[in-house]
Amino acid sequence: MAEEIPSIESLVKAATEVYQQEFNSSPDVSVCAPGRVNLIGEHTDYNDGLVLPMALPLVTVIVGSKISGYYSVALTTNEDVDTPKRVVIEMPDKRALMSRCAPGKPKWANYVKGVIVNYKGEAPTFQAVIISSVPTGGGLSSSAALEVATYTFLDALNGVNDILPKDKALACQKAENGFVGMPCGIMDQFISVMGKEGNALLIDCRTMVPTLIPLSNPDIVIVIINSNVKHELTGSEYSTRKEQCIAASKLLNKFSLRDVTDEGVEYLETLNADEDVIKRAKHVVGEIRRTRMAAEALKEGNYKQFGRLMIESHNSLRDDYEVSCPELDSLVELALKVDGVLGSRMTGGGFGGCTVTMVLERAVAKLITYIKNNYEKNATFYICKPCNGAQILQLKPQGHYY
């Protein structure tokens, strides 16, 4: 009933077979990096707030080898991205890289190029095959999975793995901000780098301090439901929300909405601020508070409280931040009608993508059946537990040159 999530081993095998066919050799290196689902704390990361994501068993795998010369070759097997599926990337020395390795088409390759440009040290030339089980446009951060996998792959080729996890994540975020043009916060890259099995990760986006929060109760399951409504977050809606948050902070003479209280939001109304600006601030201030409370509830094993906070989060994203859509609202409403569901909300940037639902293990099948019978579109389901972050899976002692 739920989607079968392919194992990392099967993805490596599939990518290796393509690599052997394409390059007539075997890869020296294989790495992976996960997508993520944000349990609560939406649109707070770029407001210096708190987020609570977990790493998923859905991953991006890269297999490949270091080669000589100044041209790298990357090939993706992902059917959901634009063409061409194979790109050649010119990689001269570091000083010339910015001008030669420029954004362009296909879009998927810009995430790879952006990481190459922002890599700490000299990025080696390579040939690689990329395969992924993270759905594109589903709000599960397929982009961060690709970025972090690319960085991990370059590290593996160099034999250098001593970069701090935070710096690795920040380099990948910079790739998405400055190269791809998506003004995301730090959450996606941090969890893809630092995720740990059996734990969610509370990230303070101001201090950049991550804290592991246990989520290993076998009776509790996280179900991700893909609405199969695609979204494109590099468009104006995301940027507009961010600009509205900045406007609210400036009106209150605060550095960011992290420094604003509920009283501050009420004060905005006395300033005759734009209604949308007030609503955006109301969501962010409330969401930061909900995330802090949710982390405490998770520590205490108070899953009912956690679920209530998830519902409040969705309502705020729908009404105040206005980034939901009818399909996401429908999925949440349907889920909450099922006995055993503790909480449900949209997750990710919005305007489509996925919902995340916390449900008792005994009720998972009932939840899936109910939604399949009542959701007007064709939803897909992923049953997930928190997983590890980026990993080097295979590393030969010496690179193979040809």
Side-chain angles (χ1 to χ4, degrees):
M1 296 174 71
E3 294 294 303
E4 182 177 350
I5 298 176
S7 67
I8 293 174
E9 292 77 14
S10 67
L11 291 172
V12 171
K13 181 180 179 182
T16 298
E17 289 174 355
V18 173
Y19 185 95
Q20 291 169 336
Q21 294 169 5
E22 187 74 16
F23 300 111
N24 198 31
S25 62
S26 294
D28 291 334
V29 166
S30 61
V31 305
C32 72
R36 64 95 186 96
V37 65
N38 192 22
L39 299 174
I40 194 168
E42 218 66 74
H43 290 279
T44 55
D45 54 349
Y46 53 82
N47 287 290
D48 288 343
L50 304 174
V51 293
L52 188 62
M54 72 178 211
L56 296 174
L58 299 160
V59 300
T60 292
V61 165
I62 303 179
V63 305
S65 302
K66 185 188 290 187
I67 60 175
S68 59
Y70 298 98
Y71 295 91
S72 291
V73 180
L75 171 70
T76 180
T77 66
N78 191 342
E79 296 179 356
D80 293 334
V81 299
D82 52 337
T83 56
K85 306 292 187 181
R86 175 188 171 118
V87 295
V88 177
I89 304 169
E90 187 175 0
M91 294 176 59
D93 62 68
K94 190 77 174 180
R95 289 175 296 177
L97 196 54
M98 278 297 290
S99 61
R100 300 289 181 87
C101 190
K105 294 183 178 181
K107 290 181 181 179
W108 67 266
N110 290 334
Y111 297 97
V112 177
K113 293 177 183 178
V115 172
I116 291 171
V117 168
N118 289 282
Y119 183 73
K120 307 294 184 183
E122 289 290 335
T125 50
F126 60 85
Q127 54 193 24
V129 171
I130 303 165
I131 190 170
S132 185
S133 58
V134 188
T136 304
L140 302 180
S141 203
S142 58
S143 57
L146 177 54
E147 291 155 4
V148 173
T150 299
Y151 202 109
T152 306
F153 176 67
L154 296 175
D155 264 356
L157 292 179
N158 271 344
V160 177
N161 302 298
D162 57 353
I163 183 173
L164 291 174
K166 182 181 80 170
D167 292 334
K168 179 176 177 178
L170 289 173
C172 292
Q173 182 209 14
K174 188 176 180 181
E176 187 152 349
N177 289 172
F179 199 88
V180 179
M182 171 61 182
C184 65
I186 65 172
M187 173 179 65
D188 297 351
Q189 293 80 11
F190 265 57
I191 184 61
S192 189
V193 171
M194 303 178 198
K196 186 173 181 181
E197 184 177 0
N199 291 268
L201 190 69
L202 179 67
I203 306 170
D204 186 322
C205 298
R206 167 167 284 175
T207 64
M208 298 188 188
V209 173
T211 304
L212 291 170
I213 307 293
L215 179 54
S216 57
N217 187 325
D219 295 329
I220 300 297
V221 174
I222 301 299
V223 177
I224 298 167
I225 307 173
N226 193 340
S227 68
N228 287 313
V229 176
K230 299 292 184 181
H231 65 112
E232 189 69 46
L233 278 183
T234 50
S236 62
E237 292 287 355
Y238 190 103
S239 297
T240 298
R241 296 301 186 282
K242 188 172 183 180
E243 290 165 3
Q244 289 165 336
C245 292
I246 293 171
S249 301
K250 287 182 177 179
L251 284 170
L252 294 168
N253 294 315
K254 300 295 185 181
F255 184 77
S256 73
L257 288 178
R258 174 69 178 270
D259 302 312
V260 177
T261 62
D262 291 328
E263 290 75 20
V265 175
E266 293 174 3
Y267 183 63
L268 275 175
E269 298 176 1
T270 70
L271 299 177
N272 294 319
D274 181 87
E275 182 182 355
D276 285 342
V277 169
I278 297 171
K279 291 168 69 175
R280 307 308 181 240
K282 180 181 178 183
H283 165 73
V284 173
V285 172
E287 188 78 347
I288 292 171
R289 179 180 63 253
R290 283 187 290 270
T291 304
R292 184 179 290 110
M293 294 172 62
E296 290 303 315
L298 213 54
K299 287 179 187 177
E300 297 166 0
N302 189 346
Y303 302 113
K304 288 185 177 180
Q305 168 70 351
F306 192 95
R308 285 193 291 269
L309 292 165
M310 291 177 75
I311 297 167
E312 290 179 14
S313 172
H314 180 80
N315 292 342
S316 179
L317 287 159
R318 180 193 64 206
D319 300 334
D320 291 326
Y321 220 67
E322 298 180 288
V323 291
S324 190
C325 65
E327 292 85 359
L328 293 175
D329 294 340
S330 175
L331 287 173
V332 169
E333 290 167 9
L334 291 171
L336 295 177
K337 291 179 180 179
V338 177
D339 181 50
V341 167
L342 301 171
S344 186
R345 60 184 287 275
M346 61 152 279
T347 187
F351 309 108
C354 295
T355 63
V356 57
T357 300
M358 179 176 279
V359 56
L360 297 177
E361 195 276 335
R362 61 172 174 78
V364 170
K366 184 166 55 174
L367 168 67
I368 293 174
T369 298
Y370 186 77
I371 289 181
K372 280 191 172 183
N373 290 339
N374 291 279
Y375 180 58
E376 293 182 357
K377 296 184 183 295
N378 183 29
T380 49
F381 303 82
Y382 303 94
I383 300 172
C384 301
K385 297 278 188 176
C387 294
N388 287 319
Q391 303 172 65
I392 295 176
L393 305 169
Q394 173 193 334
L395 177 63
K396 290 189 177 180
Q398 294 182 342
H400 185 63
Y401 295 84
Y402 38 109

